[in-house]
Amino acid sequence: MTATQTLTGRTALVTGSTSGIGLAIARLLGVAGANVVMNGLGSAENVESAITEVRSVAHGKITFNAADMRNPADIASMIECAETEFGQVDILVNNAGIQHVAPVEDFPAERWDDIIAINLSSVFHAVRCALPAMKRAGWGRIINIASAHALVASPYKSAYVSAKHGVAGLTKTVALEAAAGGVTVNAIAPGFVDTPLVSLQLDNVARAHSVSRDQAFEEVVLASQPTGRLIGVDEIAALALYLCDDAAASITGAVLPIDGAWTAK
Ligand code: NAD
């Protein structure tokens, strides 16, 4: 999708934008003219390569903040830095996320804590810090990257499903609180998207069941997603960009599936 520079003068902060969906969203919002604050973990080389990729197509200024989304103080400081540098955060995309798959009775407690912290609590902390300036400005966009697992469950994903259902609830609640102030709050609920997070899951399933990666793909993806293919990261980014448009001003409090009919079943 090509984007006209409709976001010139706006500033977007995209958590977890060194990879996958977050990187695609940072890239497209940058192409659309926004300044973008990127964030994420990873080796210095990977982080640098993600920043270079976004800078090579962006029209606004691109910066990076290494906040660990498990840490509320890091999150508050990241929003404060962005507001100091750019005046305010107009668009907040809460995207950072991790996954762990195990039966609930074997689920490592520290993995539960990390998933709830990164996939759910970080959304609360970022929203509570960024919303006041959006309300003062009378314009803002909060886009939470949830999951089909915000709407339905799968076995062995207790922490992820709980966190993503929580994101859906938080999205609706904040949308109601912000509705009169020009700030929209929505969640995008993707099915299986072609990113490292899914690739790792396919590797794990193939190893655990001693099957090929193709068989793992059939068991994990085809069984859930009637379209029978992984979703592209650019498909998710395109919806995020649309939600930033003034034409989307009345879409708020929505949990919007892009899931190849997974949750239609
Ligand atoms: P990914 O692994 O490619 O990227 C995850 C990003 O989050 C990376 O930039 C990583 O550095 C960052 N991150 C992880 N832990 C962090 C931490 N503690 N602090 C800061 N950043 C951290 O994953 P993805 O598939 O692009 O997933 C992005 C989001 O989309 C997640 O919230 C995920 O749950 C959601 N999602 C993904 C899929 C899918 O099929 N890939 C489907 C539905 C929802």
Side-chain angles (χ1 to χ4, degrees), residues 4-253:
T4 50
Q5 290 171 46
T6 49
L7 298 180
T8 302
R10 302 281 191 205
T11 296
L13 189 156
V14 186
T15 71
S17 44
T18 53
S19 170
I21 294 171
L23 177 56
I25 293 175
R27 203 166 47 220
L28 191 57
L29 298 187
V31 168
N35 303 314
V36 183
V37 180
M38 295 177 66
N39 157 264
L41 303 181
S43 67
E45 200 186 351
N46 285 352
V47 168
E48 202 45 54
S49 133
I51 297 169
T52 304
E53 183 183 328
V54 175
R55 279 199 181 129
S56 71
V57 292
H59 297 284
K61 189 169 176 189
I62 307 302
T63 64
F64 177 77
N65 188 297
D68 185 332
M69 300 308 285
R70 281 170 293 203
N71 183 336
D74 272 18
I75 298 168
S77 151
M78 175 171 64
I79 305 281
E80 205 179 306
C81 286
E83 291 180 345
T84 304
E85 174 148 22
F86 295 109
Q88 74 181 67
V89 173
D90 304 287
I91 299 160
L92 171 65
V93 182
N94 289 301
N95 167 78
I98 59 168
Q99 173 65 285
H100 186 81
V101 180
V104 67
E105 63 271 33
D106 300 331
F107 211 94
E110 61 280 9
R111 297 299 285 165
W112 170 277
D113 289 343
D114 275 354
I115 290 176
I116 299 300
I118 297 168
N119 296 18
L120 174 58
S121 299
S122 79
V123 181
F124 160 71
H125 291 296
V127 165
R128 90 186 152 78
C129 293
L131 186 58
M134 291 181 183
K135 280 184 169 171
R136 277 196 300 276
W139 195 96
R141 294 288 186 263
I142 297 175
I143 301 167
N144 300 323
I145 306 304
S147 166
H149 284 118
L151 301 167
V152 294
S154 296
Y156 314 127
K157 296 186 177 177
S158 53
Y160 190 85
V161 170
S162 302
K164 295 299 187 181
H165 274 67
V167 169
L170 181 59
T171 300
K172 294 176 192 176
T173 305
V174 181
L176 291 174
E177 294 180 23
V183 180
T184 71
V185 188
N186 293 290
I188 297 178
F192 284 110
V193 184
D194 191 4
T195 74
L197 183 140
V198 163
S199 184
L200 196 68
Q201 272 185 72
L202 291 177
D203 289 341
N204 290 340
V205 169
R207 203 174 312 113
H209 299 281
S210 304
V211 295
S212 69
R213 222 165 172 282
D214 282 352
Q215 284 168 299
F217 182 84
E218 274 179 32
E219 274 176 35
V220 173
V221 178
L222 295 188
S224 306
Q225 210 150 279
T227 45
R229 64 167 185 88
L230 289 173
I231 298 154
V233 290
D234 292 339
E235 298 177 65
I236 311 298
L239 178 55
L241 178 63
Y242 178 69
L243 290 173
C244 295
D245 200 277
D246 285 337
S250 298
I251 303 177
T252 190

